[in-house]
Amino acid sequence: MKMNAVPRIPEQTPSLSRRTFLGFSAASAALVAFPALLSACSSDSSSGGKKTTVRFWTWYTQQKDEFPKLIAAFEKANPTIHIENRLFGGPNDYLPAMQAAVSAGDPPEIFAPHVYALEYGKAGVLADLKQELGESFLSDFFDSANQEYTTGGKQYGLGWMAQTFGLYYNPDIFARAGVQVPETWDDLITISQTIKQKTGLIPCAFANNPANTDFLFPFITQAADDPTLLLKLDAQTDGASWNSPYVVQGLQKMDTIIKAGVFNPNSSGVQTPQAEASFYNGQAAMMFQGSWGPQDFAQNAPASFVKLYKVAKTPALAKGGKHWCANQAGAGLSVSALSKNKAAAIEFIKFLYDPTRYTSTMNTTNSMPATKSAAAQVQDPILKDMTSWLINGEGSPHIMFGKGTNDAVSSAVDAIFAGTVTPQQAAANIQDSVKRAQGR
Amino acid sequence: MGTIAVATVSTRRRRSSSRTDAAIERRWGYAFILPTVAFFIAFVAYPFIRAAYLSLSRWAGYGTVEFVGFHNFVALTQDPIFWQALRTTILYTAITTVVQTALPLLLAVLLNAGWRGGVLFRTVVFLPAVVSFVVSGILWQMIYEPNFGLLNRALRAVGLGGLAQGWLANGTTALPAIMFVSLWMSLGLFMLIYFAGMQGINPNLYEAARLDGANSWQQLRYVTVPMLRPITAVVVTLNMISGLKVFDIVYTMTGGGPNHATEVLGTYLYSIAFGSRTASIPAIGYGTAVSMVVFVLAMGAVLFQNWWTRKARDERD
């Protein structure tokens, strides 16, 4: 006889049906998830009694010491507002958190929009700052900084730190090699060979991990001698195509420089801190870097080097040509249109951009300001020099807002550095990739 | 008659009592599994169904979710980087699975042979397993650094400077360099699993094999390996699944570069969904479609493991 350990339960036994159990489980699941939803919703509201909370998210570590001081001063002047400062280590850490907050419909009241300002603005996530702050408030910002955050007559961000690029160099090594500051890219190739021969050092430190698209864009503007071309390419308007002669010319020039051995070997494996270290430790004579270089050098390089190094304009395509380079503000601030604490956020924005306070913040942190009034008072001689390039009209776009543009250009730059494609193929690949991305 | 009636009533009462007890027992059973089922629905089932829906949608993480049917999957078939990531993922999975199954087995056999200092060796080899993938990735990124990294410096110090190179910057060496780190991390754990499995093999089997004239290799081939088949199935499956869903170690070491040479499905879906490394506008629907491909591949690995385990059990029985 077969023995059953578990007694058979008659069918007519009154019991819980499987369907009822699953329904009950689903209700319990909702209860389990409810506290999380509740906490997500509650973060939009005030906390700490009657205080209004303004969450402030950036990755602007250059101001890591200044933000707490500014916040303390603001809270003292505005006792009903509490600023919750969250400073991320870098864009790689920041972006997923920011996007998750936006996806949840609960972005911070003030945050760095990165390249999403226009898309978020059009989707109703960001407040129109033209309406909130007025034209007169915005008129002090560089036109390029305002333009990059504007679409359809509305402005969705403010420049916090402006940017340009330059060729930082070590005058001692230049003297040892007997070379002069290069005016053109061809000059750069020539002096690089001399530096290598006479000193054995790396001519120019360069970080291409991740792909350094900032290096490619000036070539395209210089080839076209038209700072609006990149905007058209990015927006894919006026029939602009990445697979066009100016882009190919830009890629060709970049390819020539790479193949001439101007940069450190293995650039695609080198990150910015490593490239900077090889420059300020005297292993490289030059470094192509953004205007945040002085901040990094002030924080990390030996004091003797900080006094020594100099900066030259990004080389031009031909003698007497314009030294087109970047002029936008990759570091910006936007205000959430979804928060009920928007008014408090606007108050903090006005406080931060008070001309005296903003100028002081930028000077204290060796940062390039995005306003004309602060630009006129830059103290650091290197930054002062670089800021003058923006004012003198050699600036061009370097931040791409279009869907798929950055991915496509990054892949092309990587492929050129790896030597796996020709400039013509790279240009065609960018256009194909952008088209594919727009269909996603 | 009266006796029969009393007996019937008694039987009915017993049956009724038995039914009530069973019902109560059943309700308690449901009560015990309710928290698990509720958590499963909230944190696994619902997100999975939502992800499946998103994979059929166009959504950037904000604004409205637009249902596009199989558009994302069709677009995947025309996306060269997706194919590259798929190829790399399969290659990575295949190589790491073979190496991370065979090498730990061999080390476990050697350890089981009674090496002097075996405990110390076991501890040292196991140590990397307790370090997180992210920390290991960053650590090895520094070791592989082309100009100042430990590996190139060591090569130069012993006169092999010609071999020094940008290990993670070169499309040919980047993937093997990552695979080596994966092996470094997993070797100790899998070796221990095999070692534990070997303790369960009946020594009489080896004695019988020796009496039949089997040498060490034959004992390994015909006794150890067959007896460890269920454990090998587990090791292979763990390796396959971790290979198919690899992300952290690749992301921290190369981010999928250079030029997508180490792009795997995990890093590709992350960069599409969040646009974090190249600052692209996110495409969460498209990225989720990639994650569905990973899910199907991992599901295949699990089915394979079930089939293999069942086969091994049937053969043993």
Side-chain angles (χ1 to χ4, degrees), chain B residues 3-269:
Chain B
T3 310
I4 293 168
V6 169
T8 307
V9 169
S10 173
T11 306
R12 277 182 190 157
R13 276 187 186 156
R14 267 205 312 274
R15 277 186 190 158
S16 172
S17 166
S18 164
R19 280 203 297 267
T20 311
D21 288 350
I24 290 169
E25 199 169 295
R26 194 169 175 170
R27 281 191 180 127
W28 271 112
Y30 278 127
F32 279 125
I33 63 168
L34 180 67
T36 305
V37 174
F39 272 87
F40 180 82
I41 290 173
F43 297 115
V44 178
Y46 173 73
F48 177 77
I49 293 165
R50 175 82 177 150
Y53 173 70
L54 281 178
S55 73
L56 302 172
S57 311
R58 182 179 287 136
W59 189 47
Y62 52 87
T64 51
V65 181
E66 181 192 352
F67 184 79
V68 293
F70 287 96
H71 173 85
N72 288 331
F73 292 95
V74 173
L76 276 182
T77 63
Q78 297 158 359
D79 181 348
I81 301 172
F82 166 75
W83 286 112
Q84 171 145 0
L86 181 63
R87 276 196 300 274
T88 307
T89 305
I90 291 171
L91 183 70
Y92 179 92
T93 305
I95 293 176
T96 54
T97 299
V98 170
V99 176
Q100 291 173 186
T101 302
L103 209 55
L105 174 62
L106 288 177
L107 278 179
V109 169
L110 292 174
L111 268 183
N112 202 37
W115 270 8
R116 185 178 289 180
V119 175
L120 178 68
F121 177 78
R122 211 162 58 206
T123 309
V124 169
V125 172
F126 185 74
L127 271 178
V130 300
V131 181
S132 86
F133 270 94
V134 173
V135 173
S136 294
I138 293 169
L139 178 72
W140 277 91
Q141 192 189 39
M142 288 192 255
I143 292 172
Y144 284 136
E145 203 279 327
N147 300 309
F148 315 107
L150 188 66
L151 180 56
N152 280 356
R153 280 183 173 226
L155 286 171
R156 289 185 193 111
V158 297
L160 295 172
L163 295 176
Q165 58 183 293
W167 299 96
L168 299 177
N170 183 333
T172 314
T173 55
L175 192 62
I178 294 172
M179 286 174 182
F180 178 80
V181 178
S182 171
L183 174 67
W184 176 77
M185 289 201 67
S186 60
L187 189 61
L189 178 66
F190 292 134
M191 184 191 71
L192 270 191
I193 292 174
Y194 275 124
F195 187 73
M198 283 174 189
Q199 310 315 305
I201 299 176
N202 189 341
N204 293 340
L205 294 173
Y206 290 106
E207 197 177 337
R210 275 195 297 273
L211 286 174
D212 287 343
N215 59 27
S216 297
W217 166 249
Q218 285 166 328
Q219 286 175 45
L220 172 68
R221 169 77 180 79
Y222 296 108
V223 179
T224 309
V225 171
M227 292 308 290
L228 288 176
R229 191 174 285 173
I231 287 169
T232 305
V234 172
V235 171
V236 165
T237 309
L238 288 175
N239 273 319
M240 281 174 74
I241 291 174
S242 73
L244 291 171
K245 66 182 182 67
V246 62
F247 167 74
D248 35 21
I249 193 169
V250 178
Y251 188 75
T252 50
M253 288 180 73
T254 63
N259 193 24
H260 300 290
T262 59
E263 197 79 77
V264 288
L265 291 174
T267 54
Y268 190 48
L269 82 86

Side-chain angles (χ1 to χ4, degrees), chain A residues 47-94:
Chain A
S47 65
K50 289 181 180 175
K51 282 194 174 185
T52 303
T53 297
V54 171
R55 289 162 296 166
F56 179 59
W57 286 16
T58 67
W59 74 89
Y60 307 151
T61 50
Q62 293 85 358
Q63 282 86 39
K64 68 177 189 294
D65 297 329
E66 290 306 300
F67 283 145
K69 293 178 198 165
L70 290 164
I71 288 167
F74 177 78
E75 288 182 341
K76 195 175 176 187
N78 299 271
T80 58
I81 302 175
H82 168 61
I83 306 294
E84 199 177 275
N85 181 27
R86 191 169 173 195
L87 187 68
F88 291 75
N92 283 351
D93 314 322
Y94 169 77

Side-chain angles (χ1 to χ4, degrees), chain A residues 4 14-15 28 46 62 88 127 134 186 191 195 206 224-225 229 251 260 277 281 286 291 314 321 363 370 418 431 439:
Chain A
N4 281 333
S15 66
S28 305
S46 306
Q62 293 85 358
F88 291 75
D186 290 338
I191 70 160
I195 288 168
F206 191 80
D225 203 25
L229 175 63
L251 286 161
N281 285 330
M286 297 172 275
S291 48
T314 297
N363 276 328
Q431 186 62 25

